[in-house]
Amino acid sequence: MGDYLDSLNDKQLEAVKCINGPVEVIAGAGTGKTKTLTSRIIYLIEQKYAAVSQILAVTFTNKAATEMKLRVANQLSDLPMNFLNIMTFHSFGLKVLRRYGDLLTLGKLDSHALIIDEEDQKKIINDLKKELEIKNTKVHDILNYISLKKFAECLKNNTFEIDVKIEKIYQLYKTYLEEQNLVDFDDLLIYTYVLFEQQPQVLATYRQEFKYILVDEFQDTSLLQYLILKQMALLHRNLFIVGDPDQAIYAFRGASYDNEQLMKKDFQPILIVLDKNYRSTNTILKHANSLIKENTNRVAKNLVSDNNQIIEVIHKNFRNEHLEATYIANEIRKLITNYQVSPNEIAILYRANHLSRIYEEALIKERIDYKIFSGHSFFEREEVKDIIAYLRLIVNPDLDFAFKRIVNKPLRGIGFKSVERLEELAQSQNISMYEAIDNYNNFRLSDFKEEMENLQARVNICGSLGEFYNELLEKLEFKKYLEEYKDSPEERLEHVKELKSVISYHESVNHDFTNMENLQEILDIFSLESSVEESKTKKKEDCVVLSSYHRVKGLEFNTVFLVALEEGIFPGRNYDDIEEERRIAYVGVTRTKERLYLTNAHQRYLFGELSGSGESQFVKEMYKNLTSPKVVPLKDKSIPFVGMKKHHKEYGEGIVIKFDEHSITVAFKLPFGIKKFMRTKD
């Protein structure tokens, strides 16, 4: 047996060794789900239950997939990482499309289709809005409609409500993608499902190939993702899912909370509950357990920890949001100065991004560096997307949306009207804009085409893609072009340079391909990248984190402030599902290891209007199921008074701030805070 098994607790070990048949692992926050999942993969390979190629593990982010690969590869040192089928759902869909896409009969779509991301989608949508003269509909709303409509059509859901205006855009968008041989992220899943439904031999191939299928973060799967998994797993029935229904907070992205019930109905899995938490103190977990118990539609579990460190949860009410924010900034200063808590180990979490302003102002006044978990992904940055558009056009010159993006970047004197007329000509002749240049009398466009042809010829001539990338930047004079930006030209150039590092890294993995083949593979990888580029102005360890709850799921901090805990804000006035709102709060509580602060204000300015609301029901629920306060005998027999000093063997010296005939409230120094004790009569 490998030594990796020695560090597993009994329930983790049970999950790892439960080999035959379907298994459902309910893994509470901080209970070691990734360790359990990767240990199972290692065990399957080491004990020869399956060959490496017979195991498929899917998750939701490239970061999670890479971490899982590293853990497995480190244990099985003779196994290269690229042999492991550990990937995101979308990466798996891409592999299916690359392998069998030619069997699809949808317009010009085939296995060589290029992937577009959300920014590309927005450009296409904006062009269609202009064409249809639609002005009062947000691009974000159109994209949501398109996504939901696609899934409804795929699953033959006839209850989908049609929006006549957006439906026109949807039909044109769908046709455009098919004719241009493009796919968006939704298509990667949809076409995989369609292939499995329409081509039984394709489904049979995957059923035979993958003897064991493992799913990370199962609570975040959509119905379509579950159906794909179900299709593949029905032969061997070795479907192993790991997740925590109590952390299901992505319904707005299409995640289906009902998938867990479907899995039980379809597979009747063995149920294993991981409830030993390795992150938080028992004090934190008691509040988390008390909160989530109010949800009725859940698998019951009670998180426990070996960490019995006594640091009480601090709850504070304030008259207004300014006092609340000032208190938080002061507490953070004390934590950093007096308790040596690193700033990056402190997080301020809120339900909506617009709430961050007041806390930012307070941190600025206190001269505490912070960063907001938001912003553009590296691959969404304008300058990076420009270079990628060039690379895409080099691989496929007929890609109109890439052509339009960079035909006048850097500036070539090609005006908007010229591009518009060229597009009209291309459409009338049913050819690409690139091809139409030969039929259009414009010397600047002809020069651009000649420039692109020279670059295409250079790809396979250069010794490496890294070398070609340098030539590309030089011929385009891209550095000079970026220097003309008033907004952060140096940082933009750093991003363009960093892109070469990414290209060179991925190129080093594939030795047997030509440069052009490698470039196609790398562009696929770029399209699937999802990691968020964080602030360049401060090192990560220097900054307090401000974030919405959704962005920190999966992360952990020493100290967490849950702020603006007020009715109408959290839960909001327009929530659809109170149990999901409560799960979001539960995710926030379980992010912290030691210290948890709960704060709210009686009055708060929202969108310029002063509003007042009561304390969030979630605060009350956190305390509802807790045990009564500790009883402490008053041995000195003295009559208490406000300001009187009291000594406690665990909390040290404190000051009485409130009392009555039944109890005494004492304020102790941080990190203990305010405690309430019952008075005894003897």
Side-chain angles (χ1 to χ4, degrees):
M1 293 293 178
D3 56 2
Y4 64 96
L5 297 178
D6 297 338
S7 61
L8 300 176
N9 64 39
D10 291 343
K11 290 183 179 179
Q12 291 172 334
L13 191 60
E14 179 186 357
V16 167
K17 291 188 173 182
C18 193
I19 298 301
N20 296 315
V23 181
E24 177 184 5
V25 178
I26 302 294
T31 58
K33 69 172 181 63
T34 303
K35 182 178 183 179
T36 302
L37 196 150
T38 53
S39 295
R40 180 179 172 86
I41 295 172
I42 296 165
Y43 188 77
L44 289 171
I45 297 170
E46 193 179 66
Q47 299 302 311
K48 303 189 186 305
Y49 285 104
V52 176
S53 61
Q54 292 178 302
I55 301 170
L56 171 66
V58 287
T59 186
F60 281 87
T61 67
N62 292 294
K63 181 180 178 182
T66 300
E67 180 186 350
M68 289 164 62
K69 279 186 177 182
L70 283 169
R71 291 195 190 193
V72 175
N74 286 341
Q75 182 67 32
L76 303 172
S77 55
D78 58 339
L79 181 66
M81 275 179 58
N82 57 348
F83 280 33
L84 295 165
N85 294 309
I86 302 175
M87 63 194 76
T88 65
F89 279 95
H90 291 104
S91 294
F92 175 73
L94 176 62
K95 284 182 175 292
V96 174
L97 184 61
R98 287 284 177 253
R99 190 173 176 185
Y100 293 110
D102 290 336
L103 297 178
L104 288 167
T105 55
L106 300 170
K108 298 179 182 179
L109 187 68
D110 58 32
S111 62
H112 301 291
L114 288 177
I115 308 163
I116 61 171
D117 60 19
E118 188 173 324
E119 288 301 309
D120 299 323
Q121 287 179 285
K122 288 177 181 178
K123 287 188 177 297
I124 296 170
I125 296 300
N126 279 322
D127 285 347
L128 294 176
K129 281 181 65 179
K130 183 179 178 182
E131 180 181 333
L132 295 172
E133 297 183 349
I134 295 175
K135 298 179 179 179
N136 297 323
T137 306
K138 295 179 181 178
V139 172
H140 176 74
D141 293 336
I142 296 172
L143 288 175
N144 282 344
Y145 180 91
I146 287 173
S147 183
L148 293 172
K149 178 68 186 293
K150 279 188 174 186
F151 288 129
E153 287 183 343
C154 179
L155 299 174
K156 299 179 174 59
N157 177 6
N158 297 322
T159 64
F160 184 83
E161 187 174 342
I162 301 296
D163 183 311
V164 177
K165 185 165 59 175
I166 300 181
E167 183 67 19
K168 293 178 182 178
I169 296 179
Y170 168 68
Q171 294 298 336
L172 289 174
Y173 171 82
K174 188 177 177 183
T175 301
Y176 181 85
L177 262 58
E178 290 172 1
E179 291 181 346
Q180 289 286 316
N181 201 26
L182 302 173
V183 292
D184 59 28
F185 274 29
D186 290 336
D187 292 331
L188 294 176
L189 301 177
I190 289 169
Y191 292 145
T192 298
Y193 178 79
V194 170
L195 271 168
F196 287 174
E197 286 283 295
Q198 296 182 354
Q199 304 291 338
Q201 74 280 11
V202 173
L203 177 57
T205 298
Y206 283 98
R207 281 180 174 174
Q208 289 287 349
E209 278 187 14
F210 297 123
K211 185 177 178 182
Y212 290 92
I213 299 174
L214 303 91
V215 189
D216 185 28
E217 302 284 13
F218 183 77
Q219 77 279 351
D220 295 335
T221 55
S222 67
L223 176 58
L224 188 64
Q225 287 166 332
Y226 171 70
L227 292 176
I228 291 170
L229 294 167
K230 176 185 172 181
Q231 287 172 315
M232 290 194 295
L234 282 176
L235 176 62
H236 297 292
R237 297 186 66 81
N238 293 321
L239 180 61
F240 181 90
I241 67 169
V242 183
D244 184 8
D246 287 339
Q247 296 185 72
I249 63 173
Y250 291 115
F252 69 96
R253 291 184 186 171
S256 174
Y257 189 78
D258 296 331
N259 282 351
E260 193 244 345
Q261 292 301 317
L262 288 176
M263 201 272 188
K264 285 181 176 177
K265 177 184 174 183
D266 294 333
F267 290 92
Q268 299 83 49
I270 294 171
L271 179 65
I272 300 170
V273 178
L274 305 184
D275 53 11
K276 184 173 182 180
N277 178 281
Y278 294 93
R279 175 186 299 156
S280 308
T281 67
N282 268 315
T283 304
I284 301 297
L285 298 180
K286 285 176 182 177
H287 285 74
N289 292 332
S290 180
L291 171 68
I292 204 63
K293 279 179 182 176
E294 295 298 311
N295 277 5
T296 56
N297 183 22
R298 63 184 291 263
V299 177
K301 69 175 184 298
N302 200 62
L303 296 180
V304 294
S305 171
D306 289 338
N307 186 347
N308 291 310
Q309 184 181 12
I310 300 176
I311 302 178
E312 292 297 323
V313 172
I314 295 176
H315 174 219
K316 288 281 188 179
N317 287 286
F318 296 92
R319 189 169 68 252
N320 58 53
E321 77 269 35
H322 296 282
L323 294 174
E324 178 200 30
T326 299
Y327 168 80
I328 290 168
N330 289 337
E331 286 295 294
I332 289 174
R333 173 59 67 201
K334 291 176 186 176
L335 289 167
I336 294 170
T337 304
N338 299 340
Y339 295 94
Q340 287 74 55
V341 179
S342 298
N344 78 304
E345 282 290 322
I346 301 171
I348 300 173
L349 305 184
Y350 34 75
R351 184 64 181 91
N353 288 323
H354 66 80
L355 295 167
S356 71
R357 176 189 58 83
I358 193 69
Y359 309 107
E360 291 184 68
E361 290 177 2
L363 293 174
I364 290 169
K365 287 179 182 177
E366 193 61 33
R367 297 187 178 181
I368 297 173
D369 294 323
Y370 68 91
K371 60 185 173 186
I372 297 178
F373 265 19
S374 61
H376 292 296
S377 150
F378 176 81
F379 290 96
E380 291 174 346
R381 295 179 182 276
E382 180 183 3
E383 59 276 9
V384 173
K385 287 182 72 66
D386 288 344
I387 291 295
I388 290 176
Y390 268 104
L391 297 175
R392 283 177 165 176
L393 207 62
I394 287 166
V395 170
N396 181 6
D398 297 328
L399 202 57
D400 285 353
F401 82 90
F403 177 95
K404 287 191 288 184
R405 182 180 184 94
I406 49 83
V407 67
N408 202 37
K409 288 184 177 182
L411 295 176
R412 297 182 173 87
I414 301 173
F416 173 78
K417 286 292 183 183
S418 296
V419 175
E420 195 174 54
R421 293 191 190 102
L422 178 67
E423 186 174 21
E424 290 171 357
L425 176 64
Q427 289 174 351
S428 68
Q429 298 181 354
N430 198 27
I431 58 178
S432 70
M433 294 175 71
Y434 189 86
E435 289 176 289
I437 290 176
D438 292 336
N439 305 326
Y440 187 66
N441 186 20
N442 185 302
F443 74 94
R444 289 191 176 93
L445 283 168
S446 297
D447 287 347
F448 170 75
K449 186 174 183 182
E450 182 178 351
E451 184 179 8
M452 292 303 299
E453 287 172 346
N454 290 336
L455 288 169
Q456 289 162 6
R458 291 294 302 166
V459 175
N460 282 328
I461 295 175
C462 289
S464 67
L465 282 180
E467 181 182 326
F468 170 73
Y469 187 81
N470 288 339
E471 279 195 19
L472 175 67
L473 295 184
E474 185 177 339
K475 289 185 180 298
L476 295 176
E477 297 185 320
F478 216 75
K479 180 179 179 182
K480 181 180 178 182
Y481 165 62
L482 292 177
E483 286 172 349
E484 295 173 1
Y485 273 90
K486 294 180 180 179
D487 179 26
S488 308
E490 293 179 358
E491 188 174 339
R492 290 174 183 270
L493 184 59
E494 286 179 3
H495 297 152
V496 171
K497 289 179 178 178
E498 183 62 18
L499 188 61
K500 181 187 175 184
S501 303
V502 184
I503 289 173
S504 298
Y505 168 76
H506 289 297
E507 182 182 22
S508 68
V509 177
N510 298 318
H511 304 289
D512 300 326
F513 294 163
T514 65
N515 283 350
M516 188 65 83
E517 290 170 339
N518 246 333
L519 187 55
Q520 170 71 75
E521 290 287 316
I522 290 169
L523 287 171
D524 286 340
I525 292 169
F526 285 173
S527 296
L528 294 168
E529 289 291 344
S530 61
S531 59
V532 174
E533 180 73 5
E534 296 180 354
S535 171
K536 297 277 186 181
T537 58
K538 295 286 180 184
K539 292 182 179 179
K540 185 177 180 181
E541 59 267 26
D542 292 335
C543 298
V544 171
V545 170
L546 275 70
S547 176
S548 65
Y549 291 86
H550 288 89
R551 287 187 176 272
V552 294
K553 183 176 174 292
L555 302 180
E556 60 183 42
F557 304 89
N558 172 278
T559 302
V560 168
F561 292 82
L562 304 187
V563 301
L565 291 172
E566 296 141 33
E567 289 295 311
I569 293 179
F570 194 27
R573 291 185 177 87
N574 300 316
Y575 63 82
D576 295 322
D577 184 348
I578 186 61
E579 294 211 348
E580 176 159 349
E581 286 287 291
R582 191 175 286 112
R583 292 195 294 269
I584 295 170
Y586 175 78
V587 166
V589 174
T590 54
R591 294 313 91 202
T592 188
K593 294 185 282 189
E594 292 186 2
R595 296 177 176 86
L596 177 64
Y597 290 78
L598 312 172
T599 67
N600 60 275
H602 295 293
Q603 288 187 323
R604 182 181 304 274
Y605 274 96
L606 292 174
F607 307 113
E609 297 292 330
L610 186 62
S611 63
S613 56
E615 177 182 278
S616 169
Q617 68 181 83
F618 297 150
V619 175
K620 299 168 185 174
E621 290 167 358
M622 284 184 215
Y623 289 93
K624 179 179 177 180
N625 299 305
L626 296 182
T627 57
S628 300
K630 291 182 179 180
V631 175
V632 56
L634 300 175
K635 297 179 180 179
D636 53 59
K637 304 291 185 180
S638 59
I639 299 173
F641 57 89
V642 174
M644 180 181 185
K645 291 183 178 180
K646 281 287 181 185
H647 188 272
H648 190 274
K649 64 179 181 180
E650 292 180 354
Y651 307 140
E653 194 168 87
I655 296 175
V656 175
I657 59 173
K658 185 179 179 182
F659 70 93
D660 56 33
E661 60 179 316
H662 302 294
S663 66
I664 296 177
T665 303
V666 182
F668 295 96
K669 292 181 179 180
L670 281 173
F672 304 113
I674 296 172
K675 308 289 182 185
K676 186 176 182 180
F677 301 101
M678 303 304 293
R679 297 177 66 180
T680 59
K681 294 180 181 179
D682 54 349

